[in-house]
Amino acid sequence: MSDDVGRRAFLGVGAGAVAARALAAEAPAPAKGVKIIGVACSPRKGKTTAAAVQAVLDAAKAASPAVEVELIELADMNINGAVAAGVPLPAGQEDDFLKLVPKLSDPRVGGIIVGSPVYFGSMSALCKAFLDRWVAFRKANFPLSNKVAGVVAVGGMRNGGQELTVQCIQAALMCHEMLVVGDGRPTAHRGATVWNQGDDITKDELGLSTAKNLGRRVAEVALRMAGIAG
Ligand SMILES: Cc1cc2nc3c(=O)[nH]c(=O)nc-3n(C[C@H](O)[C@H](O)[C@H](O)COP(=O)(O)O)c2cc1C
């Protein structure tokens, strides 16, 4: 994809068909395996949300040698949510969202984990800005369609709003025809709900079990979608 086409498509400029053609042209041949990307949407780098997303990814990787994982942290990135509504960035400026587009829409990516801290009962502003920018994917012929999605939320209280946060994020992911899954058995509910106790999630056995079951479940469905035995 030329820089110009990519930029225009993902800024929402130009027809969706142009963006779709650009994506198709750059699609590499599918490899024998699936990649699962985890995105930690906390403004604090390397803290509990990143640790929880990593726990989900570790479980996904442990599910099969055909699974490759990558953690992306949005901390330190500049993602301007207003661009989603058509408000242009100041002339000559670019934010970091465009860098993430090829990674997320890569056809080898079979699953995406989104992790957010709980901020007053919902996702962080950074997470919302990031997900709002996904409007670009709708304009570009839904490249995330049929990728598996899993969500993890980390709060400072055991029941501080993790479930609602998970569900708010899941609602956004469904707008992209993603296959949203919850944590698998035996916990088997909406996703991973983790409790941060003093910037540490390792004492939260229950929360970590939901993270583990989520990772395994995302891998299982992503492998099945790719036609690979788990
Ligand atoms: C503005 C703000 C609001 C918060 N609101 C909640 C909340 O409603 N419920 C909760 O359990 N924790 C809440 N917390 C705590 C964070 O969710 C918790 O510390 C989380 O682990 C932070 O993630 P991080 O370590 O990746 O930054 C809040 C923290 C901040 C900064």
Side-chain angles (χ1 to χ4, degrees):
M1 177 193 299
S2 81
D3 270 353
D4 184 49
V5 173
R7 214 160 269 140
R8 282 166 54 80
F10 286 103
L11 284 169
V13 182
V18 174
R21 277 200 302 276
L23 275 171
E26 74 169 9
K32 203 74 192 131
V34 290
K35 187 167 180 185
I36 296 177
I37 289 185
V39 186
C41 304
S42 169
R44 297 199 311 153
K45 194 166 188 173
K47 298 294 187 182
T48 62
T49 305
V53 173
Q54 188 62 60
V56 178
L57 292 176
D58 289 347
K61 193 169 168 50
S64 163
V67 173
E68 184 193 329
V69 298
E70 181 181 348
L71 173 70
I72 296 172
E73 293 201 58
L74 299 188
D76 299 339
M77 287 193 193
N78 174 24
I79 296 180
N80 186 326
V83 175
V87 180
L89 290 165
Q93 277 187 31
E94 222 176 60
D95 72 3
D96 294 310
F97 182 72
L98 291 180
K99 291 180 203 155
L100 300 173
V101 165
K103 272 187 180 284
L104 297 169
S105 57
D106 185 335
R108 283 194 326 116
V109 173
I112 299 176
I113 312 292
V114 177
S116 177
V118 180
Y119 281 3
F120 296 133
S122 192
M123 70 188 91
S124 66
L126 182 56
C127 187
K128 189 71 172 81
F130 171 62
L131 293 176
D132 283 353
R133 293 292 295 279
W134 285 26
V135 73
F137 291 128
R138 287 179 64 101
K139 291 179 181 165
N141 208 23
F142 291 77
L144 307 186
S145 180
N146 293 331
K147 292 187 195 287
V148 184
V151 182
V152 49
V154 188
M157 292 281 289
R158 171 65 273 173
N159 300 301
Q162 286 89 337
E163 281 204 33
L164 185 57
T165 302
V166 165
Q167 285 178 286
C168 288
I169 295 171
Q170 287 173 336
L173 301 177
M174 282 181 205
C175 298
H176 301 278
E177 290 189 343
M178 295 191 84
L179 307 177
V180 175
V181 299
D183 48 320
R185 285 171 269 175
T187 48
H189 286 93
R190 279 154 200 82
T193 52
V194 178
W195 179 16
N196 166 14
Q197 298 164 83
D199 275 351
D200 180 13
I201 60 167
T202 61
K203 288 177 267 178
D204 181 22
E205 239 174 79
L206 174 66
L208 285 175
S209 70
T210 62
K212 204 170 172 180
N213 296 335
L214 177 66
R216 197 191 58 249
R217 179 84 185 124
V218 168
E220 181 182 283
V221 180
L223 288 165
R224 200 172 282 195
M225 288 301 292
I228 300 166

